[in-house]
C-alpha cells in the first residue's frame, strides 16, 4: 500500500541518518517532526482502528529496535521473544534467521555498519538506576521527565518535548540536586513519625 511504502522509505531514511552520524534520539525527533506514525500506531490504523489520542511518538528505543532488525537486510527473523507469562527477549544466538527471504531495504554492508555503531553506543548510563528516575512529571504536559547528564550536571527534562516540540513545548530543565533537596526537605516532615511513609504521604512528597 501507499502508506506501507512511505513507512519503508522512512525506515530507510532512519538507517541512512544513523550512518551519517545522527543518534537514535535525533532520528526519533526528525520522524516526529515529519508526522510519521510509529509502528504501533501504523499497525492500529492499518487494522482499521482509530489512531490513539494523543498520537504516539517515536522514541530512541523504537529507532534502535528497527536499526537492529535483520529483516531490513533481507532476512527472516523469528524467535526474538518467547511468550511465557510475559514476553521474554531471547539472546540473538537463539533466534531463527533465514537469509535472503525477501528484497532488502538496506544493503548488508550498511546493515553491518549500523550494528557496529549500535554496539559502540549501546551502554546504559547510571542515570536510569537513580531512585527518582521515572517518577518526575512535566508540569506542562504531565508526561515523564527523563534524567540525563553526568556527575554534578545531571538534570530532568521532559521526554515528550524531546521527541516533539509540537506535542509539548517543554519546561525548564530541573537539576537533580534541586529535586533531591526538595525530597529531603519534604522527608524531614515525617522524620519524627514512627514506621514507614503511607502511600498518600509518599504521593504528597512527589506532588509538592
Amino acid at each position: 500500500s501507499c502508506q506501507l511504502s512511505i513507512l519503508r522509505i522512512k525506515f530507510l531514511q532512519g538507517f541512512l541518518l544513523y550512518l551519517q552520524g545522527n543518534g537514535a534520539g535525533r532520528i526519533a525527533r526528525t520522524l516526529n517532526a515529519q508526522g510519521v506514525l510509529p509502528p504501533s500506531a501504523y499497525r492500529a490504523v492499518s487494522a482499521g482502528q482509530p489512531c490513539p489520542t494523543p498520537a504516539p511518538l517515536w522514541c530512541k528505543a523504537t529507532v534502535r529496535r528497527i536499526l537492529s532488525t535483520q529483516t531490513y537486510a533481507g532476512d527472516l527473523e523469528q524467535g526474538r521473544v518467547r511468550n511465557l507469562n510475559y514476553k521474554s527477549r531471547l539472546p540473538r544466538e537463539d533466534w531463527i534467521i533465514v537469509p535472503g527471504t525477501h528484497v532488502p531495504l538496506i544493503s548488508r554492508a550498511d546493515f553491518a555498519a549500523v550494528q557496529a555503531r549500535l554496539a559502540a553506543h549501546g551502554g546504559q548510563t547510571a542515570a536510569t538506576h537513580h531512585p527518582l528516575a521515572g517518577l518526575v512529571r512535566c508540569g506542562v504536559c504531565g508526561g515523564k521527565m527523563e534524567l540525563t547528564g553526568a556527575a554534578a550536571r545531571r538534570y530532568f527534562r521532559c521526554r515528550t518535548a524531546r521527541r516533539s516540540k509540537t506535542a509539548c513545548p517543554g519546561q525548564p530543565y530541573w537539576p537533580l540536586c534541586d529535586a533531591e533537596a526538595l525530597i529531603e526537605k519534604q522527608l524531614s516532615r515525617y522524620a519524627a513519625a514512627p514506621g514507614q511513609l503511607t502511600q498518600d504521604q509518599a504521593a504528597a512528597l512527589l506532588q509538592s
Side-chain angles (χ1 to χ4, degrees):
S1 68
C2 179
Q3 287 296 325
L4 179 58
S5 297
I6 293 175
L7 193 62
R8 285 175 61 86
I9 291 172
K10 295 304 179 181
F11 282 2
L12 176 59
Q13 179 188 10
F15 276 102
L16 296 178
L17 286 173
Y18 197 72
L19 287 173
Q20 292 168 4
N22 295 279
R26 179 176 295 180
I27 294 172
R29 292 193 294 274
T30 298
L31 294 172
N32 287 328
Q34 293 175 350
V36 180
L37 291 177
S40 58
Y42 171 78
R43 286 193 294 268
V45 173
S46 298
Q49 302 172 4
C51 184
T53 303
L57 297 172
W58 287 85
C59 64
K60 290 188 293 186
T62 302
V63 172
R64 291 181 66 88
R65 176 174 57 80
I66 288 173
L67 293 176
S68 65
T69 300
Q70 200 164 328
T71 300
Y72 302 112
D75 302 333
L76 175 65
E77 270 189 1
Q78 292 182 326
R80 290 174 67 112
V81 297
R82 176 179 297 155
N83 285 318
L84 300 172
N85 294 330
Y86 55 89
K87 283 189 174 182
S88 177
R89 187 176 179 86
L90 299 178
R92 180 176 284 271
E93 55 268 22
D94 291 340
W95 298 356
I96 300 173
I97 300 177
V98 183
T101 58
H102 52 274
V103 177
L105 183 67
I106 185 172
S107 71
R108 293 192 181 279
D110 284 346
F111 183 78
V114 167
Q115 303 320 297
R117 187 161 183 261
L118 285 172
H121 297 82
Q124 290 187 338
T125 65
T128 58
H129 305 297
H130 192 279
L132 292 180
L135 298 179
V136 180
R137 296 280 177 170
C138 174
V140 177
C141 70
K144 287 186 177 181
M145 297 186 72
E146 59 186 6
L147 183 57
T148 188
R153 302 184 63 181
R154 296 170 70 184
Y155 55 89
F156 289 97
R157 64 187 179 191
C158 177
R159 183 179 297 172
T160 301
R162 283 284 295 172
R163 298 176 185 173
S164 171
K165 288 297 184 181
T166 302
C168 177
Q171 69 170 62
Y173 290 174
W174 192 23
L176 174 61
C177 59
D178 290 355
E180 291 174 333
L182 176 61
I183 294 296
E184 184 177 354
K185 178 180 178 181
Q186 298 288 38
L187 281 172
S188 65
R189 298 182 182 180
Y190 306 97
Q196 297 181 340
L197 297 180
T198 67
Q199 186 175 8
D200 290 341
Q201 290 171 334
L205 288 176
L206 294 174
Q207 294 173 3
S208 301

Short mmCIF file of all heavy atoms in Angstrom, two decimals, residues 53-75:
data_model
loop_
_atom_site.label_atom_id
_atom_site.label_comp_id
_atom_site.label_asym_id
_atom_site.label_seq_id
_atom_site.Cartn_x
_atom_site.Cartn_y
_atom_site.Cartn_z
N THR A 53 -5.10 8.61 20.77
CA THR A 53 -5.01 10.02 21.13
C THR A 53 -4.53 10.13 22.58
O THR A 53 -5.11 9.50 23.47
CB THR A 53 -6.38 10.71 20.99
OG1 THR A 53 -6.86 10.54 19.65
CG2 THR A 53 -6.27 12.20 21.31
N PRO A 54 -3.48 10.91 22.85
CA PRO A 54 -2.67 11.63 21.85
C PRO A 54 -1.86 10.65 20.99
O PRO A 54 -1.61 9.52 21.41
CB PRO A 54 -1.74 12.49 22.71
CG PRO A 54 -1.63 11.73 24.00
CD PRO A 54 -2.97 11.10 24.23
N ALA A 55 -1.51 11.11 19.81
CA ALA A 55 -0.79 10.25 18.87
C ALA A 55 0.54 9.80 19.47
O ALA A 55 1.27 10.60 20.03
CB ALA A 55 -0.55 10.98 17.56
N PRO A 56 0.86 8.50 19.38
CA PRO A 56 2.15 8.02 19.89
C PRO A 56 3.31 8.67 19.15
O PRO A 56 3.18 9.07 17.99
CB PRO A 56 2.09 6.51 19.62
CG PRO A 56 0.64 6.20 19.43
CD PRO A 56 0.04 7.42 18.83
N LEU A 57 4.44 8.75 19.83
CA LEU A 57 5.62 9.38 19.25
C LEU A 57 6.75 8.35 19.12
O LEU A 57 6.81 7.37 19.86
CB LEU A 57 6.09 10.55 20.12
CG LEU A 57 5.13 11.72 20.26
CD1 LEU A 57 5.65 12.70 21.30
CD2 LEU A 57 4.93 12.43 18.92
N TRP A 58 7.63 8.61 18.17
CA TRP A 58 8.85 7.82 18.06
C TRP A 58 9.74 8.10 19.27
O TRP A 58 9.76 9.23 19.79
CB TRP A 58 9.61 8.19 16.79
CG TRP A 58 9.00 7.69 15.52
CD1 TRP A 58 8.01 8.29 14.80
CD2 TRP A 58 9.33 6.49 14.83
NE1 TRP A 58 7.70 7.53 13.70
CE2 TRP A 58 8.51 6.43 13.68
CE3 TRP A 58 10.26 5.48 15.05
CZ2 TRP A 58 8.57 5.38 12.77
CZ3 TRP A 58 10.33 4.43 14.15
CH2 TRP A 58 9.49 4.38 13.02
N CYS A 59 10.47 7.11 19.71
CA CYS A 59 11.43 7.29 20.80
C CYS A 59 12.72 6.57 20.44
O CYS A 59 12.79 5.83 19.45
CB CYS A 59 10.87 6.76 22.12
SG CYS A 59 10.58 4.97 22.13
N LYS A 60 13.75 6.79 21.22
CA LYS A 60 15.06 6.18 20.93
C LYS A 60 14.98 4.66 20.90
O LYS A 60 15.59 4.01 20.04
CB LYS A 60 16.08 6.63 21.97
CG LYS A 60 16.48 8.09 21.89
CD LYS A 60 17.64 8.40 22.82
CE LYS A 60 17.26 8.27 24.26
NZ LYS A 60 18.36 8.72 25.16
N ALA A 61 14.21 4.07 21.82
CA ALA A 61 14.13 2.61 21.88
C ALA A 61 13.53 2.03 20.61
O ALA A 61 14.00 1.00 20.10
CB ALA A 61 13.31 2.19 23.10
N THR A 62 12.50 2.68 20.07
CA THR A 62 11.87 2.18 18.84
C THR A 62 12.83 2.28 17.67
O THR A 62 12.94 1.36 16.85
CB THR A 62 10.59 2.99 18.53
OG1 THR A 62 9.69 2.89 19.64
CG2 THR A 62 9.90 2.46 17.28
N VAL A 63 13.54 3.40 17.58
CA VAL A 63 14.51 3.58 16.49
C VAL A 63 15.61 2.52 16.58
O VAL A 63 15.97 1.89 15.58
CB VAL A 63 15.11 4.99 16.52
CG1 VAL A 63 16.26 5.12 15.52
CG2 VAL A 63 14.04 6.03 16.20
N ARG A 64 16.14 2.31 17.77
CA ARG A 64 17.22 1.33 17.94
C ARG A 64 16.74 -0.09 17.62
O ARG A 64 17.48 -0.89 17.06
CB ARG A 64 17.78 1.40 19.37
CG ARG A 64 18.55 2.68 19.67
CD ARG A 64 19.09 2.67 21.09
NE ARG A 64 20.09 1.64 21.27
CZ ARG A 64 21.39 1.81 21.04
NH1 ARG A 64 21.83 2.98 20.62
NH2 ARG A 64 22.24 0.84 21.25
N ARG A 65 15.48 -0.40 17.97
CA ARG A 65 14.95 -1.73 17.67
C ARG A 65 14.88 -1.95 16.16
O ARG A 65 15.24 -3.02 15.66
CB ARG A 65 13.56 -1.90 18.29
CG ARG A 65 12.90 -3.23 17.96
CD ARG A 65 11.59 -3.40 18.72
NE ARG A 65 10.68 -2.30 18.46
CZ ARG A 65 9.92 -2.20 17.38
NH1 ARG A 65 10.00 -3.11 16.42
NH2 ARG A 65 9.08 -1.20 17.23
N ILE A 66 14.43 -0.93 15.42
CA ILE A 66 14.34 -1.05 13.96
C ILE A 66 15.74 -1.16 13.36
O ILE A 66 15.99 -1.98 12.47
CB ILE A 66 13.58 0.15 13.38
CG1 ILE A 66 12.10 0.03 13.73
CG2 ILE A 66 13.76 0.26 11.86
CD1 ILE A 66 11.28 1.23 13.35
N LEU A 67 16.66 -0.35 13.86
CA LEU A 67 18.03 -0.39 13.32
C LEU A 67 18.71 -1.74 13.54
O LEU A 67 19.62 -2.10 12.80
CB LEU A 67 18.87 0.73 13.96
CG LEU A 67 18.48 2.17 13.62
CD1 LEU A 67 19.34 3.14 14.42
CD2 LEU A 67 18.62 2.43 12.13
N SER A 68 18.28 -2.47 14.56
CA SER A 68 18.91 -3.75 14.87
C SER A 68 18.16 -4.95 14.28
O SER A 68 18.56 -6.09 14.51
CB SER A 68 19.01 -3.93 16.39
OG SER A 68 17.73 -4.00 16.98
N THR A 69 17.08 -4.69 13.54
CA THR A 69 16.27 -5.77 12.98
C THR A 69 16.82 -6.22 11.63
O THR A 69 16.84 -5.45 10.67
CB THR A 69 14.80 -5.32 12.83
OG1 THR A 69 14.29 -4.97 14.12
CG2 THR A 69 13.96 -6.44 12.25
N GLN A 70 17.24 -7.47 11.56
CA GLN A 70 17.88 -8.01 10.36
C GLN A 70 16.90 -8.19 9.20
O GLN A 70 17.30 -8.38 8.06
CB GLN A 70 18.55 -9.35 10.71
CG GLN A 70 19.63 -9.79 9.74
CD GLN A 70 20.51 -10.87 10.31
OE1 GLN A 70 20.72 -10.91 11.53
NE2 GLN A 70 21.00 -11.76 9.48
N THR A 71 15.60 -8.10 9.49
CA THR A 71 14.58 -8.20 8.45
C THR A 71 14.82 -7.19 7.33
O THR A 71 14.60 -7.48 6.15
CB THR A 71 13.19 -7.98 9.05
OG1 THR A 71 12.95 -8.97 10.06
CG2 THR A 71 12.10 -8.07 7.99
N TYR A 72 15.31 -6.01 7.71
CA TYR A 72 15.50 -4.94 6.72
C TYR A 72 16.72 -5.18 5.83
O TYR A 72 16.91 -4.47 4.86
CB TYR A 72 15.58 -3.59 7.43
CG TYR A 72 14.34 -3.33 8.25
CD1 TYR A 72 14.38 -3.29 9.64
CD2 TYR A 72 13.11 -3.15 7.63
CE1 TYR A 72 13.25 -3.09 10.39
CE2 TYR A 72 11.96 -2.95 8.38
CZ TYR A 72 12.03 -2.92 9.74
OH TYR A 72 10.88 -2.73 10.48
N ALA A 73 17.51 -6.20 6.18
CA ALA A 73 18.64 -6.59 5.32
C ALA A 73 18.26 -7.76 4.42
O ALA A 73 19.12 -8.34 3.75
CB ALA A 73 19.85 -6.95 6.17
N GLY A 74 16.98 -8.14 4.41
CA GLY A 74 16.50 -9.19 3.51
C GLY A 74 16.36 -10.56 4.14
O GLY A 74 16.11 -11.54 3.43
N ASP A 75 16.52 -10.66 5.47
CA ASP A 75 16.46 -11.96 6.14
C ASP A 75 15.18 -12.09 6.98
O ASP A 75 14.64 -11.08 7.45
CB ASP A 75 17.68 -12.16 7.04
CG ASP A 75 18.99 -12.05 6.27
OD1 ASP A 75 18.97 -12.34 5.06
OD2 ASP A 75 20.01 -11.68 6.87
#
